[in-house]
Amino acid sequence: MTGFASLAGQLGRRRWEWEARSVNGRGLDIRIRLPESCEFLEPAIRREFGKCCVRGRLSVALRLTRNGSSAEVVLNGPALKDALESARQVMDAAQAAGVPLSPDTPTGILSLPGVRSTDNEDDAGLTAWHDVLKTELPVLVAALDDARLAEGRMLVDVLFGHLDQVETFLDEVAALVPAARERSAKQLHDAVEKLLGTGVDLDEGRIATELAMLAVRTDVSEEQDRLRGHLSAARELLATGGPIGRKFDFLLQEFNREASTLCSKAATSELNAVGLELKVVIDRMREQVQNVE
């Protein structure tokens, strides 16, 4: 199912925006884009979205921005002390080995990981921010699920409309079948009369066999019955709700098979034309079902 949901929030100077998108797919594929500081959220994201999505391709992204003035640069005292001690040990080892090294500059020390930060929030502030992000995940999942359900309700209406068209065409087929049978019988009768006129000795048993074979080749009653059975099954499937995409796609393959056989047996151009229209509607349904979970 296709769907889109977004969610924005703010805590202090921190501002963030969630985005979640989904399209149909054979399996469940969740792709996540997170800032480095929020990678801890990935397991929770997969768990929460896995609760509402059985299959499909999902994209979940989190963007971070800051409001107001730039944050004050804060030195991490313990980290700075460790960095200076490490630099001293390196210089001593290099001097002992006779390897000349240029003295490190303050800029080089400050660029080491953890020595300084543009965030002056304490651990409690970071924990509160992380907790807010976690609590927003179910809200984001629910918003995406609502969007997918709205898409699903629209598709259900469209598919029911297509099924009504299928039923209309089946009624037209039923109305055309008697005339098609009469035409086939007349064609065979004319062919037999023509042969009798030539004086050829005809085997009555062979004639009866040919008549029976013709009746089988032009009889579409089984195809009509199966199509009406598939029609009832499709309506019941749509009424049940839930993940029905794969079942419905398989059912439409059966629809298409019976419609193709009906066209191949059509004894008149009118019956063949209706069969082709039937196949067009079935193809339209198959296109729509590709968006159904």
Short mmCIF file of all heavy atoms in Angstrom, two decimals, residues 222-224 226-227 230 249-265 275 278-279 282-283 286:
data_model
loop_
_atom_site.label_atom_id
_atom_site.label_comp_id
_atom_site.label_asym_id
_atom_site.label_seq_id
_atom_site.Cartn_x
_atom_site.Cartn_y
_atom_site.Cartn_z
N GLU A 222 -18.88 -23.77 -18.97
CA GLU A 222 -17.95 -24.00 -17.85
C GLU A 222 -17.17 -22.74 -17.52
O GLU A 222 -16.97 -22.40 -16.35
CB GLU A 222 -16.98 -25.13 -18.20
CG GLU A 222 -17.63 -26.51 -18.21
CD GLU A 222 -16.58 -27.61 -18.37
OE1 GLU A 222 -15.37 -27.29 -18.29
OE2 GLU A 222 -16.98 -28.77 -18.56
N GLU A 223 -16.73 -22.03 -18.56
CA GLU A 223 -15.99 -20.79 -18.33
C GLU A 223 -16.87 -19.74 -17.64
O GLU A 223 -16.40 -19.03 -16.73
CB GLU A 223 -15.46 -20.24 -19.65
CG GLU A 223 -14.29 -21.00 -20.24
CD GLU A 223 -14.70 -22.37 -20.77
OE1 GLU A 223 -15.88 -22.52 -21.19
OE2 GLU A 223 -13.86 -23.29 -20.78
N GLN A 224 -18.13 -19.69 -18.05
CA GLN A 224 -19.04 -18.75 -17.39
C GLN A 224 -19.22 -19.11 -15.92
O GLN A 224 -19.18 -18.22 -15.04
CB GLN A 224 -20.41 -18.79 -18.08
CG GLN A 224 -20.42 -18.22 -19.50
CD GLN A 224 -21.82 -18.29 -20.08
OE1 GLN A 224 -22.66 -17.43 -19.81
NE2 GLN A 224 -22.07 -19.31 -20.88
N ARG A 226 -17.20 -20.80 -13.95
CA ARG A 226 -15.98 -20.55 -13.17
C ARG A 226 -15.77 -19.06 -12.94
O ARG A 226 -15.37 -18.64 -11.85
CB ARG A 226 -14.76 -21.14 -13.91
CG ARG A 226 -14.75 -22.67 -13.95
CD ARG A 226 -13.37 -23.16 -14.37
NE ARG A 226 -13.37 -24.60 -14.56
CZ ARG A 226 -13.41 -25.20 -15.74
NH1 ARG A 226 -13.49 -24.47 -16.84
NH2 ARG A 226 -13.38 -26.51 -15.83
N LEU A 227 -16.03 -18.27 -13.96
CA LEU A 227 -15.87 -16.82 -13.81
C LEU A 227 -16.83 -16.26 -12.76
O LEU A 227 -16.47 -15.39 -11.97
CB LEU A 227 -16.07 -16.11 -15.15
CG LEU A 227 -14.88 -16.19 -16.11
CD1 LEU A 227 -15.29 -15.73 -17.50
CD2 LEU A 227 -13.72 -15.34 -15.59
N HIS A 230 -15.39 -17.21 -9.45
CA HIS A 230 -14.28 -16.32 -9.11
C HIS A 230 -14.80 -14.94 -8.69
O HIS A 230 -14.22 -14.29 -7.80
CB HIS A 230 -13.35 -16.16 -10.30
CG HIS A 230 -12.67 -17.44 -10.70
ND1 HIS A 230 -12.46 -18.49 -9.83
CD2 HIS A 230 -12.13 -17.83 -11.90
CE1 HIS A 230 -11.84 -19.47 -10.45
NE2 HIS A 230 -11.62 -19.10 -11.70
N ASP A 249 -4.30 -11.32 -6.31
CA ASP A 249 -3.52 -11.40 -7.54
C ASP A 249 -3.60 -12.81 -8.13
O ASP A 249 -3.75 -12.97 -9.34
CB ASP A 249 -2.07 -11.01 -7.25
CG ASP A 249 -1.24 -10.92 -8.52
OD1 ASP A 249 -1.67 -10.24 -9.47
OD2 ASP A 249 -0.17 -11.55 -8.59
N PHE A 250 -3.51 -13.82 -7.28
CA PHE A 250 -3.64 -15.19 -7.76
C PHE A 250 -5.03 -15.43 -8.34
O PHE A 250 -5.18 -16.08 -9.39
CB PHE A 250 -3.38 -16.18 -6.62
CG PHE A 250 -3.61 -17.61 -7.00
CD1 PHE A 250 -2.67 -18.30 -7.74
CD2 PHE A 250 -4.78 -18.27 -6.63
CE1 PHE A 250 -2.88 -19.63 -8.11
CE2 PHE A 250 -5.00 -19.59 -6.99
CZ PHE A 250 -4.04 -20.27 -7.73
N LEU A 251 -6.06 -14.91 -7.69
CA LEU A 251 -7.43 -15.09 -8.17
C LEU A 251 -7.60 -14.45 -9.54
O LEU A 251 -8.28 -14.99 -10.42
CB LEU A 251 -8.40 -14.49 -7.16
CG LEU A 251 -9.90 -14.72 -7.42
CD1 LEU A 251 -10.22 -16.20 -7.49
CD2 LEU A 251 -10.73 -14.07 -6.31
N LEU A 252 -6.98 -13.29 -9.74
CA LEU A 252 -7.10 -12.61 -11.03
C LEU A 252 -6.37 -13.38 -12.14
O LEU A 252 -6.75 -13.29 -13.31
CB LEU A 252 -6.55 -11.19 -10.92
CG LEU A 252 -7.44 -10.22 -10.15
CD1 LEU A 252 -6.77 -8.87 -10.02
CD2 LEU A 252 -8.80 -10.07 -10.83
N GLN A 253 -5.35 -14.14 -11.79
CA GLN A 253 -4.73 -15.01 -12.80
C GLN A 253 -5.73 -16.05 -13.28
O GLN A 253 -5.77 -16.38 -14.48
CB GLN A 253 -3.50 -15.69 -12.19
CG GLN A 253 -2.36 -14.76 -11.85
CD GLN A 253 -1.20 -15.49 -11.22
OE1 GLN A 253 -0.88 -16.61 -11.59
NE2 GLN A 253 -0.57 -14.87 -10.24
N GLU A 254 -6.55 -16.56 -12.36
CA GLU A 254 -7.59 -17.52 -12.75
C GLU A 254 -8.67 -16.84 -13.59
O GLU A 254 -9.18 -17.41 -14.55
CB GLU A 254 -8.22 -18.14 -11.49
CG GLU A 254 -7.23 -18.92 -10.63
CD GLU A 254 -6.58 -20.03 -11.42
OE1 GLU A 254 -7.32 -20.82 -12.05
OE2 GLU A 254 -5.33 -20.11 -11.43
N PHE A 255 -9.03 -15.61 -13.22
CA PHE A 255 -9.96 -14.82 -14.03
C PHE A 255 -9.45 -14.76 -15.47
O PHE A 255 -10.20 -14.99 -16.43
CB PHE A 255 -10.07 -13.39 -13.48
CG PHE A 255 -11.21 -13.16 -12.54
CD1 PHE A 255 -11.02 -13.22 -11.17
CD2 PHE A 255 -12.47 -12.84 -13.01
CE1 PHE A 255 -12.06 -12.99 -10.29
CE2 PHE A 255 -13.52 -12.60 -12.14
CZ PHE A 255 -13.32 -12.67 -10.78
N ASN A 256 -8.20 -14.37 -15.62
CA ASN A 256 -7.64 -14.15 -16.95
C ASN A 256 -7.59 -15.45 -17.75
O ASN A 256 -7.84 -15.46 -18.96
CB ASN A 256 -6.24 -13.56 -16.81
CG ASN A 256 -5.69 -13.04 -18.13
OD1 ASN A 256 -6.27 -12.14 -18.75
ND2 ASN A 256 -4.59 -13.61 -18.57
N ARG A 257 -7.28 -16.56 -17.08
CA ARG A 257 -7.22 -17.86 -17.76
C ARG A 257 -8.59 -18.23 -18.33
O ARG A 257 -8.69 -18.67 -19.49
CB ARG A 257 -6.72 -18.93 -16.79
CG ARG A 257 -6.56 -20.30 -17.43
CD ARG A 257 -5.99 -21.30 -16.46
NE ARG A 257 -4.63 -20.94 -16.06
CZ ARG A 257 -4.27 -20.51 -14.86
NH1 ARG A 257 -5.19 -20.38 -13.91
NH2 ARG A 257 -3.03 -20.21 -14.58
N GLU A 258 -9.63 -18.07 -17.54
CA GLU A 258 -10.98 -18.43 -18.01
C GLU A 258 -11.45 -17.49 -19.12
O GLU A 258 -12.08 -17.92 -20.09
CB GLU A 258 -11.97 -18.38 -16.84
CG GLU A 258 -11.68 -19.36 -15.73
CD GLU A 258 -11.67 -20.80 -16.20
OE1 GLU A 258 -12.34 -21.11 -17.20
OE2 GLU A 258 -10.99 -21.63 -15.56
N ALA A 259 -11.12 -16.20 -19.00
CA ALA A 259 -11.52 -15.24 -20.04
C ALA A 259 -10.81 -15.55 -21.36
O ALA A 259 -11.41 -15.42 -22.45
CB ALA A 259 -11.20 -13.82 -19.58
N SER A 260 -9.55 -15.96 -21.29
CA SER A 260 -8.81 -16.31 -22.51
C SER A 260 -9.42 -17.54 -23.17
O SER A 260 -9.56 -17.59 -24.41
CB SER A 260 -7.34 -16.58 -22.16
OG SER A 260 -6.72 -15.41 -21.66
N THR A 261 -9.80 -18.53 -22.37
CA THR A 261 -10.44 -19.72 -22.93
C THR A 261 -11.78 -19.38 -23.56
O THR A 261 -12.13 -19.90 -24.63
CB THR A 261 -10.64 -20.78 -21.83
OG1 THR A 261 -9.39 -21.05 -21.20
CG2 THR A 261 -11.21 -22.07 -22.40
N LEU A 262 -12.53 -18.50 -22.90
CA LEU A 262 -13.82 -18.07 -23.45
C LEU A 262 -13.63 -17.44 -24.83
O LEU A 262 -14.40 -17.71 -25.76
CB LEU A 262 -14.49 -17.10 -22.48
CG LEU A 262 -15.92 -16.69 -22.79
CD1 LEU A 262 -16.69 -16.41 -21.49
CD2 LEU A 262 -15.97 -15.43 -23.66
N CYS A 263 -12.62 -16.58 -24.96
CA CYS A 263 -12.37 -15.94 -26.25
C CYS A 263 -11.99 -16.95 -27.31
O CYS A 263 -12.40 -16.85 -28.48
CB CYS A 263 -11.27 -14.88 -26.11
SG CYS A 263 -11.76 -13.39 -25.23
N SER A 264 -11.18 -17.94 -26.91
CA SER A 264 -10.75 -18.94 -27.90
C SER A 264 -11.91 -19.81 -28.37
O SER A 264 -11.88 -20.36 -29.47
CB SER A 264 -9.65 -19.81 -27.30
OG SER A 264 -10.14 -20.61 -26.24
N LYS A 265 -12.95 -19.96 -27.54
CA LYS A 265 -14.11 -20.77 -27.91
C LYS A 265 -15.21 -19.97 -28.59
O LYS A 265 -16.19 -20.55 -29.05
CB LYS A 265 -14.69 -21.44 -26.66
CG LYS A 265 -13.86 -22.58 -26.10
CD LYS A 265 -14.60 -23.23 -24.94
CE LYS A 265 -13.90 -24.46 -24.42
NZ LYS A 265 -14.68 -25.12 -23.33
N GLY A 275 -15.70 -10.97 -24.82
CA GLY A 275 -14.62 -11.64 -24.10
C GLY A 275 -13.38 -10.77 -24.00
O GLY A 275 -12.71 -10.73 -22.96
N LEU A 278 -13.88 -8.15 -21.44
CA LEU A 278 -13.74 -8.79 -20.13
C LEU A 278 -12.27 -8.87 -19.73
O LEU A 278 -11.90 -8.58 -18.58
CB LEU A 278 -14.37 -10.18 -20.18
CG LEU A 278 -14.40 -10.99 -18.89
CD1 LEU A 278 -15.19 -10.27 -17.81
CD2 LEU A 278 -15.01 -12.36 -19.16
N LYS A 279 -11.42 -9.23 -20.68
CA LYS A 279 -9.99 -9.32 -20.39
C LYS A 279 -9.39 -7.95 -20.06
O LYS A 279 -8.49 -7.84 -19.22
CB LYS A 279 -9.24 -9.94 -21.59
CG LYS A 279 -9.47 -11.44 -21.74
CD LYS A 279 -8.80 -11.98 -22.98
CE LYS A 279 -7.31 -11.83 -22.97
NZ LYS A 279 -6.67 -12.67 -21.92
N ILE A 282 -10.16 -7.18 -16.47
CA ILE A 282 -9.34 -8.02 -15.59
C ILE A 282 -7.93 -7.46 -15.51
O ILE A 282 -7.31 -7.42 -14.43
CB ILE A 282 -9.34 -9.47 -16.09
CG1 ILE A 282 -10.74 -10.07 -15.95
CG2 ILE A 282 -8.32 -10.31 -15.33
CD1 ILE A 282 -10.91 -11.41 -16.64
N ASP A 283 -7.37 -7.00 -16.64
CA ASP A 283 -6.04 -6.41 -16.63
C ASP A 283 -6.01 -5.14 -15.78
O ASP A 283 -5.02 -4.87 -15.09
CB ASP A 283 -5.59 -6.10 -18.06
CG ASP A 283 -5.17 -7.34 -18.83
OD1 ASP A 283 -4.87 -8.36 -18.17
OD2 ASP A 283 -5.16 -7.30 -20.07
N ARG A 286 -5.78 -6.16 -12.22
CA ARG A 286 -4.44 -6.65 -11.86
C ARG A 286 -3.49 -5.48 -11.63
O ARG A 286 -2.62 -5.53 -10.75
CB ARG A 286 -3.89 -7.57 -12.95
CG ARG A 286 -4.65 -8.87 -13.09
CD ARG A 286 -3.87 -9.88 -13.88
NE ARG A 286 -2.69 -10.34 -13.15
CZ ARG A 286 -1.84 -11.26 -13.61
NH1 ARG A 286 -2.05 -11.80 -14.80
NH2 ARG A 286 -0.81 -11.63 -12.91
#
